[in-house]
């Protein structure tokens, strides 16, 4: 039985594709974007989230941790993340909800049981189920099994992807996907690498190949200060999508997504550094950048 | 002001500003008002006396009564009872009620006092039910004895006859039935005399004010008011404006008498006048909207737009949209529901969603016609009548003029029943204790609670007519005048007595918490649990136990044991309520609603196993507890509440609070419309919705005076946020915050 590592299922998603949708978030990503809004989706393995503000100092986790990673020194709580192997026993004893496990193994049936509850809403609103993450394409076998089952059940399927993997992985999923939403971040490969940890050639290749299929695609640009928030950077992406539209023989949509810093607390709870801390809280010239996109006819 | 003309827009602005000022003054004088914004206007200062009273729904309120006016007692207790005393006292009350005319309004009148606040004592002590009191207290029952109004009149009767016509009808049947109903006819006739006097004094005052008025537009308005009301003292209305004025008089008289807020299908009632007047070139849409707005300004009546007629055809018409527009332009608390269902104009839903998202006043509400009708039929009501069941109260419908229901009064707090059941089971000899035994004990005690309610209802039905008869609603019902019988005593055709359950989620979550922590995981013994409950979770051990119990997956999450328990509890409750009639033969109809008593019922309830502390609010209506899902998904909420519908035509409303960012564009509005439609397809019966800017709400919470015009749908009713007590504001804020996505 195929299991996937899922870190969240969000019902009533209205920004992840058309209609009312549920979004299934798969854990693990092949990029390391420094501003990531879902840092709990980066690493493929389950991991512990610790929110010290919720801790009531009961000490149960200290007693139960097989690795001795939890400590209570008076009222001070210490979590030695290096010792932790995410077995989750501390989570079971933490009723205050200060410790939680992000990412759990789910069978396709488990995911379906959750998302099919909203089937009547998908039907009445033209919605469906979206796979996201992390990078959902990386859990190729699980994603394929889940998408196939949804499709067989008459549910509209969508996927949000960054495109950084061998084409064959995505290709095997395409027969079961109704809509692809793909991120494009930077046309300059060196700048792309500095921001995301990887050059962009393979990503652009994925985009080209997608353009040459018949599958509905929406290209989206997360607009990030210092990365791509200039008219020049946006223009370059718009020109690229223009080329892809020519390849497709039809106009392909391009949307801009504004950056936010709401994810900051997630980094803290995961014991990660929030590299985007020094960035402004929002993109001030967002309207100007949207005009650039509109000039290209998007 | 030297302007020679005033637009309707300007007049409406002035009226709205006056209302805000009146509201501010009410807040100062009365303090918190945790109920409908009743549109009551404070009397001149020399006529004010602030007291503690009981509302029409049986709950304590602070009220302003008529200084210097007192009813005549006809009973050693100091109270007044029976149709003669009630009718004569109300006539006197009306004859002393001040005149109120705002020259900007096209309609005269405002009401200033609640006659109910003089009902002391509330119930005639001669009609003793003390044998029921031990069980009523044991289960913390809101038993409804002495409950008033909460059914709907048929305004068409009054619109056809006019006040003199009603008086003649009374005289006719009084003679026919003599001597039966002697006191009843006297009392109901007194009411009409009082109303006529009140209207006549407004006509006279308007004429006098016109003589003094310098602004030509306002002078003309006052002259029209004078002429119109001179006519309406006796005659039926002839025009759209007169119909609005007639309805307003009736509404205010009904509201003052005992808090009745039912109006019914305003779009159907006004349509003939609209058609005649527009065909004759006497009325424009702008004028019609203005008149409706003036009506809505003076009473927050419960109105249904659209919906099926007796033959199943949708009644939506142009006036339906004019009413929606009037409410939209006013932006004040309003209780107007838009019908949604098979064959009903989808434009109503579309416009309703547009307004609620754009205006953010929790207006309108959405009514699931199909399942209200289908459920009503299961009580043995013929389909034609069931289709005419009209939304006319917080969470309820009634067949206009033909049904008596005591809706939204009787409440059974499942939490109180549960706490009794738990202790009873644990005190019993059998051990080890099991969930099955707990469930059995719960159902046993729930059955007992329903039986006690039933006996209480019989006391009410036997005596209410001689305590405080429904003299005003009787005027516009089919049967009471003809038979000489109060609506509460056989005057109408259908008797469907509403019995609501509350604290569903509180109890469902409690069962689930026990199942997981005590039975399956063995982390807590039954005795430990009882100890913690009795101690209200005191101590570090207690807090740990409380968190452990409250972290079990909750009703609303979907596919959890708590979800199963919620369904089982609702089904068991419906089965018990409908299994048999009261001993005297009255049919009871189950609903799930806590109204505004979420806080009051919680304050009397001890700690519960779901981790709730003693005195904290119970769960709201049929809704899951806030925080039932990390994503707070509206679809999960909609699925959960649809799954626990009682199924007999009385509602279990879905209370839903959405952030505007969800609805910032056309696609999102269409999704909200899908959410509403699908909830009703799944069995839902009513939706009370807020689209709220959380930031604004939080700022208003810190300082209510910052947004004096912020209106929220608290539960079935809407109110100014600044009029609510801190506890009520907290309840709304907690609910909205918990609904925000993680």
């Amino acid at each position: 039985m195929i299991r996937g590592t899922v870190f969240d299922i969000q019902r009533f998603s209205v920004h992840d594709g058309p209609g009312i949708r549920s979004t299934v978030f798969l854990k693990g990503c092949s990029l390391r974007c420094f501003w990531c809004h879902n840092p709990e989706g980066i690493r493929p393995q389950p991991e512990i989230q610790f929110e010290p503000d919720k801790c009531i100092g009961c000490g149960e986790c200290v007693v139960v941790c097989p690795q001795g990673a939890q400590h209570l020194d008076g009222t001070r709580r210490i979590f030695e993340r290096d010792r932790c192997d995410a077995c989750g026993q501390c989570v079971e004893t933490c009723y205050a909800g200060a410790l939680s496990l992000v990412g759990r193994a789910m069978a396709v049936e488990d995911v379906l049981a959750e998302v099919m509850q909203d089937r009547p809403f998908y039907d009445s609103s033209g919605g469906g189920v979206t796979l996201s993450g992390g990078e959902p394409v990386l859990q190729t076998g699980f994603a394929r099994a889940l998408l196939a089952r949804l499709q067989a059940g008459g549910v509209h399927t969508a996927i949000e992807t960054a495109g950084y993997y061998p084409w064959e992985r995505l290709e095997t999923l395409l027969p079961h996907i109704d809509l692809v939403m793909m991120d494009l971040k930077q046309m300059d490969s060196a700048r792309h690498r500095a921001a995301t940890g990887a050059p962009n050639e393979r990503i652009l290749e994925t985009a080209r190949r997608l353009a040459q299929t018949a599958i509905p695609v929406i290209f989206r640009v997360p607009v990030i200060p210092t990365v791509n928030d200039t008219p020049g950077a946006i223009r370059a992406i718009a020109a690229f999508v223009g080329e892809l539209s020519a390849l497709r023989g039809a106009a392909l949509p391009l949307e801009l997504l504004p950056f936010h810093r709401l994810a900051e607390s997630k980094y803290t709870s995961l014991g990660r550094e929030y590299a985007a801390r020094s960035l402004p809280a929002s993109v001030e010239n967002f309207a100007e950048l949207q005009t650039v996109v509109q000039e290209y006819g998007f | 002001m030297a302007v020679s003309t005033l637009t309707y827009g300007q007049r409406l602005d002035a009226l709205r500003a006056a209302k805000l000022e009146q509201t501010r003054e009410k807040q100062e004088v009365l303090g918190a008002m945790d109920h409908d914004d009743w549109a009551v206007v404070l009397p001149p200062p020399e006529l004010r006396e602030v007291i503690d009273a009981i509302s029409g729904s049986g709950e304590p309120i602070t009220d302003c009564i008529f200084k210097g006016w007192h009813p005549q007692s006809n009973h050693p207790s100091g109270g007044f009872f029976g149709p003669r005393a009630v009718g004569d006292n109300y006539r006197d009350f009306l004859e002393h009620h001040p005149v109120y005319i705002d020259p900007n309004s096209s309609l005269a009148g405002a009401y200033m006092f609640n006659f109910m606040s003089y009902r002391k004592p509330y119930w005639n002590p001669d009609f003793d039910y003390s044998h029921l009191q031990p069980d009523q207290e044991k289960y913390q029952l809101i038993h409804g004895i002495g409950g008033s109004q909460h059914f709907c009149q048929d305004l068409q009767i009054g619109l056809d006859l006019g006040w003199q016509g009603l008086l003649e009808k009374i005289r006719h049947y009084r003679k026919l039935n003599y001597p039966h109903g002697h006191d009843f006819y006297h009392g109901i006739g007194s009411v009409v005399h009082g109303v006529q006097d009140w209207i006549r004094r407004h006509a006279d005052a308007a004429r006098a004010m016109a003589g003094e008025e310098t602004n030509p537009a306002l002078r003309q308005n006052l002259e029209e008011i004078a002429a119109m009301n001179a006519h309406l003292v006796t005659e039926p209305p002839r025009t759209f404006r007169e119909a609005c004025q007639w309805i307003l008089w009736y509404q205010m008289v009904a509201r003052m008498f005992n808090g009745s807020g039912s109006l019914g299908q305003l779009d159907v009632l006004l349509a003939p006048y609209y058609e005649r007047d527009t065909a004759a070139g006497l009325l424009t849409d702008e004028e019609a909207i203005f008149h409706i707005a003036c009506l809505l300004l003076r009473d927050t009546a419960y109105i249904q737009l659209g919906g099926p007629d007796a033959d199943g055809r949708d009644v939506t018409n142009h006036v339906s949209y004019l009413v929606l527009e009037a409410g939209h332009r006013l932006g004040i608390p309003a209780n107007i529901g838009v019908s949604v269902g098979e064959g009903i104009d989808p434009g109503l839903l579309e416009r309703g969603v547009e307004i609620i998202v754009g205006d953010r006043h929790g207006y309108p509400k959405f009514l699931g016609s199909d399942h209200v009708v289908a459920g009503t039929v299961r009580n043995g009501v013929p389909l034609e009548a069931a289709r005419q069941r009209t939304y006319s109260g917080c969470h309820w419908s009634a067949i206009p003029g033909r049904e008596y229901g005591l809706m939204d009064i009787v409440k059974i707090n499942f939490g109180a029943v549960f706490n009794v059941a738990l202790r009873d089971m644990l005190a019993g000899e059998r051990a080890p204790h099991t969930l099955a035994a707990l469930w059995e004990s719960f159902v046993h005690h729930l059955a007992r609670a329903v039986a006690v309610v039933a006996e209480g209802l019989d006391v009410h039905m036997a005596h209410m007519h001689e305590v405080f008869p429904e003299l005003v609603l009787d005027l516009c019902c089919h049967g009471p005048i003809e038979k000489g019988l109060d609506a509460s005593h056989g005057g109408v055709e259908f008797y469907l007595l509403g019995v609501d359950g509350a604290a569903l989620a509180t109890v469902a979550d409690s069962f689930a918490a026990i199942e997981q922590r005590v039975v399956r995981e063995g982390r807590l013994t039954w005795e430990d649990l009882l100890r913690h409950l009795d101690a209200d979770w005191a101590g570090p051990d207690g807090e740990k136990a409380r968190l452990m119990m409250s972290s079990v997956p909750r009703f609303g999450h979907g596919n959890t044991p708590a979800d199963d328990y919620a369904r089982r509890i609702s089904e068991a409750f419906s089965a018990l309520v409908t299994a048999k009639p009261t001993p005297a033969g009255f049919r009871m109809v189950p609903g799930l609603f806590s109204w505004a008593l979420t806080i009051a019922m919680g304050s009397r309830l001890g700690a519960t196993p779901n981790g709730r502390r003693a005195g904290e609010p119970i769960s709201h209506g049929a809704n899951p507890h806030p925080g039932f899902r990390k994503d707070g998904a509206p679809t999960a909420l909609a699925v959960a509440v649809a799954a626990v519908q009682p199924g007999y035509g009385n509602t279990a409303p879905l209370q839903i609070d959405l952030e505007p960012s969800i609805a910032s564009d056309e696609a999102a509005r269409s999704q909200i419309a899908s959410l509403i439609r699908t909830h009703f397809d799944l069995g839902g019966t009513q939706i009370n919705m807020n689209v709220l800017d959380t930031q604004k709400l939080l700022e208003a919470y810190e300082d209510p005076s910052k947004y004096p015009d912020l209106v929220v749908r608290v539960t079935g009713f809407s109110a100014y946020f600044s009029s609510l007590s801190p506890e009520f504001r907290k309840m709304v804020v907690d609910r909205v915050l918990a609904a925000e996505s993680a």
Side-chain angles (χ1 to χ4, degrees):
Chain A
M1 180 189 340
I2 298 180
R3 297 192 121 91
T5 311
V6 176
F7 70 88
D8 200 6
I9 298 179
Q10 217 171 67
R11 289 162 73 176
F12 198 72
S13 299
V14 295
H15 302 303
D16 294 300
I20 295 173
R21 311 187 73 79
S22 293
T23 305
V24 182
F25 293 86
L26 301 189
K27 211 169 187 304
C29 190
S30 42
L31 293 177
R32 293 291 181 268
C33 309
F34 73 86
W35 66 84
C36 181
H37 294 145
N38 290 328
E40 70 273 36
I42 296 173
R43 294 166 68 209
Q45 320 92 324
E47 54 195 304
I48 299 287
Q49 252 180 330
F50 174 49
E51 295 164 88
D53 292 344
K54 294 183 180 171
C55 176
I56 60 169
C58 70
E60 294 284 322
C61 58
V62 177
V63 167
V64 93
C65 176
Q67 309 299 329
Q70 303 286 5
H71 307 283
L72 189 58
D73 175 18
T75 52
R76 210 160 70 94
R77 271 277 288 117
I78 297 157
F79 174 36
E80 272 189 277
R81 201 173 269 281
D82 299 335
R83 285 178 178 269
C84 172
D85 67 355
C87 73
Q89 289 192 61
C90 63
V91 173
E92 279 177 34
T93 64
C94 182
Y95 310 124
L99 290 163
S100 50
L101 194 58
V102 181
R104 63 178 179 118
M106 290 182 79
V108 169
E109 273 66 33
D110 299 331
V111 176
L112 287 175
E114 178 75 4
V115 302
M116 288 311 247
Q117 289 178 83
D118 285 349
R119 178 64 191 273
F121 299 94
Y122 310 150
D123 289 346
S124 71
S125 71
V129 176
T130 299
L131 260 56
S132 184
E135 175 53 73
V137 174
L138 293 181
Q139 294 191 46
T140 321
F142 177 73
R144 180 166 188 209
L146 176 58
L147 289 164
R149 286 288 295 276
L150 288 166
Q151 186 188 54
V155 176
H156 181 278
T157 57
I159 192 160
E160 289 175 331
T161 182
Y164 187 60
Y165 37 72
W167 167 250
E168 292 68 35
R169 283 189 181 264
L170 180 59
E171 195 182 21
T172 191
L173 302 180
L174 288 181
H176 310 294
I177 296 177
D178 295 304
L179 170 68
V180 175
M181 292 172 281
M182 183 174 166
D183 276 9
L184 294 171
K185 292 152 177 119
Q186 243 295 351
M187 293 308 294
D188 179 317
S189 193
R191 294 193 63 185
H192 191 282
R193 187 187 187 137
T196 70
N200 67 6
E201 282 78 9
R202 177 167 289 176
I203 293 169
L204 301 184
E205 184 55 26
T206 302
R208 273 189 209 98
R209 298 241 208 174
L210 266 177
Q212 287 167 306
T213 68
I215 193 164
V217 189
I218 299 175
F219 290 101
R220 309 190 315 183
V221 182
V223 180
I224 312 296
T226 75
V227 173
N228 58 8
D229 63 335
T230 63
I234 300 301
R235 205 167 280 130
I237 295 173
F240 177 64
V241 176
E243 284 170 32
L244 298 178
S245 300
L247 270 179
R248 174 66 72 99
L252 294 171
L254 171 62
E255 293 168 2
L256 301 186
L257 304 175
F259 165 73
H260 63 71
R261 279 176 46 184
L262 298 176
E264 186 163 355
S265 60
K266 291 202 234 180
Y267 281 80
T268 316
S269 68
L270 291 165
R272 300 176 75 104
E273 254 306 300
Y274 187 51
R277 180 170 291 128
S278 57
L279 296 187
S282 62
V283 179
E284 270 156 34
N285 59 338
F286 193 75
E288 182 197 354
L289 300 176
Q290 285 197 306
T291 314
V292 170
V293 166
Q294 277 153 21
E295 280 163 15
Y296 274 80
F298 294 110
Chain B
M1 193 181 344
V3 285
S4 57
T5 56
L6 276 173
T7 65
Y8 286 119
Q10 287 170 317
R11 286 164 72 177
L12 208 56
D13 286 343
L15 289 167
R16 200 189 300 108
K19 180 171 172 87
L20 277 178
E21 177 51 36
Q22 285 159 354
T23 304
R24 194 200 54 75
E25 204 185 353
K26 275 192 281 187
Q27 288 163 7
E28 244 172 51
V29 172
L30 300 176
M33 295 172 276
D34 291 329
H35 46 65
D36 292 53
D37 171 80
W38 281 328
V40 61
V41 166
L42 282 180
E46 67 274 13
L47 293 179
R48 293 178 196 170
E49 190 180 325
V50 179
I51 60 157
D52 292 323
I54 307 265
S55 77
S57 300
E59 279 300 301
I61 55 165
T62 304
D63 197 20
C64 174
I65 58 169
F66 203 152
K67 188 166 185 170
W69 185 86
H70 303 285
Q72 303 279 359
S73 166
N74 68 339
H75 190 270
S77 67
F80 59 95
F81 305 110
R84 182 172 283 267
V86 170
D88 283 344
N89 276 318
Y90 197 49
R91 173 178 183 170
D92 195 46
F93 177 91
L94 287 170
E95 286 172 349
H96 284 84
H97 192 290
V99 163
Y100 181 94
I101 298 174
D102 184 328
N104 279 306
S105 173
S106 64
L107 308 177
Y111 74 94
M112 297 178 184
F113 306 103
N114 293 309
F115 186 58
M116 282 282 290
S117 293
Y118 293 93
R119 249 177 91 185
K120 293 183 191 237
Y122 189 77
W123 182 256
N124 187 331
D126 296 348
F127 306 129
D128 178 66
Y129 58 92
S130 53
H131 62 291
L132 297 175
Q133 270 157 353
D135 277 338
Q136 288 170 341
E137 273 156 32
K138 176 175 170 185
Y139 297 115
Q140 298 179 7
L141 297 175
I142 296 173
H143 51 69
I145 299 171
S148 213
Q149 42 100 358
H150 289 90
F151 61 105
C152 188
Q153 73 286 317
D154 183 358
L155 280 168
Q156 196 61 53
I157 294 174
L159 290 169
D160 288 342
L161 291 175
W163 295 103
Q164 196 62 25
L166 284 169
L167 213 49
E168 275 154 28
K169 182 178 177 183
I170 292 166
R171 286 176 183 149
H172 172 84
Y173 283 101
R174 176 185 194 157
K175 213 154 74 168
L176 204 63
N177 290 323
Y178 188 85
H180 163 73
H182 182 61
D183 285 343
F184 173 79
Y185 287 114
H186 174 94
I188 200 173
S190 286
V191 170
V192 178
H193 285 300
V195 176
Q196 290 181 309
D197 177 81
W198 195 36
I199 298 174
R200 187 179 299 115
R201 284 188 290 118
H202 279 81
D204 293 343
R207 194 165 305 111
M209 284 169 76
E212 312 274 295
E213 180 57 60
T214 52
N215 182 306
L218 297 181
R219 183 173 62 241
Q220 182 180 347
N221 184 46
L222 288 165
E223 285 165 355
E224 287 165 355
I225 286 178
M228 161 169 86
N229 281 296
H231 178 82
L232 291 178
V233 173
T234 52
E235 306 311 307
R238 299 163 293 193
T239 64
F240 186 90
R241 182 178 176 179
E242 286 185 1
C244 289
Q245 178 74 85
W246 201 97
I247 291 172
L248 180 58
W249 288 124
Y250 182 88
Q251 274 313 115
M252 291 192 293
V253 168
R255 183 67 88 172
M256 279 200 287
F257 183 70
N258 58 6
S260 178
S262 68
L263 192 154
Q265 293 183 288
L266 186 60
D267 50 356
V268 172
L269 293 165
L270 288 179
Y273 301 96
Y274 174 80
E275 274 148 35
R276 268 207 306 276
D277 283 8
T278 49
L282 296 171
L283 183 73
T284 64
D285 274 5
E286 281 304 298
E287 283 166 344
I289 290 167
F290 185 73
H291 297 319
I292 295 167
C294 289
L295 170 59
L296 296 177
L297 203 55
R298 292 290 164 240
D299 189 51
T300 52
Y302 288 86
I303 292 167
Q304 170 177 315
L305 299 178
D309 65 10
D311 301 317
R313 274 185 304 244
D314 181 29
V315 301
T316 306
N317 57 47
H318 187 65
V319 178
S320 316
Y321 289 93
L322 298 181
V323 175
L324 264 182
E325 183 63 21
H328 158 64
R329 291 190 193 182
L330 270 175
I332 63 173
N335 300 307
I336 296 175
V338 151
S339 298
V340 180
E342 181 92 27
I344 297 175
D345 182 0
L348 271 185
L349 170 61
E350 206 180 294
R351 181 68 186 130
V353 171
E354 208 172 45
I355 290 176
I356 200 169
V357 167
D359 293 357
R360 305 185 192 176
H361 283 140
Y363 157 87
K365 306 146 138 271
F366 302 93
L367 313 171
S369 304
D370 297 340
H371 284 277
V372 169
V373 173
T376 299
V377 168
R378 291 175 76 196
N379 295 298
V381 175
L383 181 58
E384 297 72 28
R387 286 184 181 128
Q388 293 178 299
R389 212 139 177 260
T390 298
Y391 177 71
S392 36
C394 242
H395 82 307
W396 51 270
S397 314
I399 305 167
R402 299 200 277 155
E403 179 188 328
Y404 180 86
L406 219 58
M407 298 294 173
D408 197 11
I409 297 182
V410 179
K411 299 278 180 279
I412 297 180
N413 183 344
F414 294 150
V417 174
F418 179 88
N419 278 353
V420 169
L422 176 64
R423 281 165 181 75
D424 187 27
M425 183 199 83
L426 293 177
E429 299 299 347
R430 340 172 266 274
H433 307 296
T434 63
L435 269 175
L438 178 60
W439 176 257
E440 208 181 285
S441 180
F442 176 71
V443 174
H444 165 81
H445 284 284
L446 189 56
R448 184 72 204 122
V450 171
V452 173
V453 160
E455 285 187 62
L457 286 172
D458 283 349
V459 172
H460 173 90
M461 298 303 286
H463 298 295
M464 188 60 182
H465 69 107
E466 49 190 339
V467 173
F468 195 83
E470 299 287 347
L471 295 180
V472 178
L473 288 170
D474 282 341
L475 285 167
C476 287
C477 277
H478 300 273
I481 295 176
E482 289 87 339
K483 299 186 211 171
L485 289 174
D486 185 45
S488 76
H489 200 60
V492 297
E493 188 183 347
F494 296 104
Y495 288 86
L496 301 168
L497 305 185
V499 177
D500 288 334
L504 177 68
T506 304
V507 176
D509 292 347
S510 292
F511 269 108
I514 291 174
E515 181 178 297
Q516 181 169 334
R517 298 300 192 196
V518 177
V519 175
R520 277 203 280 116
E521 294 171 359
R523 290 180 198 270
L524 206 61
T525 65
W526 291 92
E527 286 70 28
D528 283 337
L529 174 62
L530 187 62
R531 198 170 34 82
H532 287 305
L533 291 174
D534 287 342
D536 193 17
W537 312 103
D541 243 28
E543 179 58 12
K544 206 164 81 181
R546 194 188 73 77
L547 287 169
M548 176 171 67
M549 296 299 269
S550 65
S551 59
V552 169
R554 298 176 180 178
F555 162 51
H557 188 279
N559 291 337
T560 68
D563 289 289
D564 286 336
Y565 278 113
R567 276 190 294 275
R568 278 173 74 186
I569 294 166
S570 177
E571 277 162 18
F573 177 64
S574 285
L576 287 170
V577 169
T578 56
K580 50 184 201 275
T582 67
F586 294 105
R587 182 159 181 96
M588 296 184 287
V589 182
L592 289 173
F593 196 55
S594 51
W595 186 63
L597 295 172
T598 309
I599 289 177
M601 285 197 273
S603 71
R604 307 194 266 265
L605 185 66
T608 41
N610 66 327
R612 184 190 136 275
R613 291 189 189 87
E616 284 181 349
I618 55 171
S619 56
H620 185 110
N623 267 39
H625 255 296
F628 65 96
R629 270 184 73 94
K630 197 162 69 90
D631 63 9
T635 46
L637 199 50
V639 168
V641 174
V644 296
Q645 293 293 315
Y648 284 86
N650 282 7
T651 71
L654 167 65
Q655 175 71 44
I656 190 160
D657 305 296
L658 295 174
E659 264 265 64
S661 64
I662 276 178
S664 54
D665 60 354
E666 192 187 318
R669 280 201 296 275
S670 130
Q671 283 148 22
I672 292 186
S674 293
L675 184 68
I676 293 168
R677 263 200 316 272
T678 306
H679 173 68
F680 290 146
D681 286 343
L682 293 174
T685 44
Q686 186 180 319
I687 297 177
N688 296 321
M689 185 182 283
N690 275 306
V691 177
L692 276 176
D693 186 337
T694 309
Q695 192 51 41
K696 185 173 181 181
L697 186 70
L698 288 173
E699 285 173 31
Y701 184 53
E702 293 301 312
D703 178 13
S705 69
K706 191 165 178 193
Y707 296 107
D709 58 347
L710 175 62
V711 178
V712 296
R713 185 148 306 276
V714 179
T715 167
F717 63 84
S718 66
Y720 287 106
F721 189 70
S722 57
S723 290
L724 301 174
S725 66
E727 293 78 24
F728 264 72
R729 286 186 229 136
K730 181 172 192 303
M731 179 179 82
V732 174
V733 167
D734 284 348
R735 206 175 66 204
V736 170
L737 285 183
E740 272 198 314
S741 306

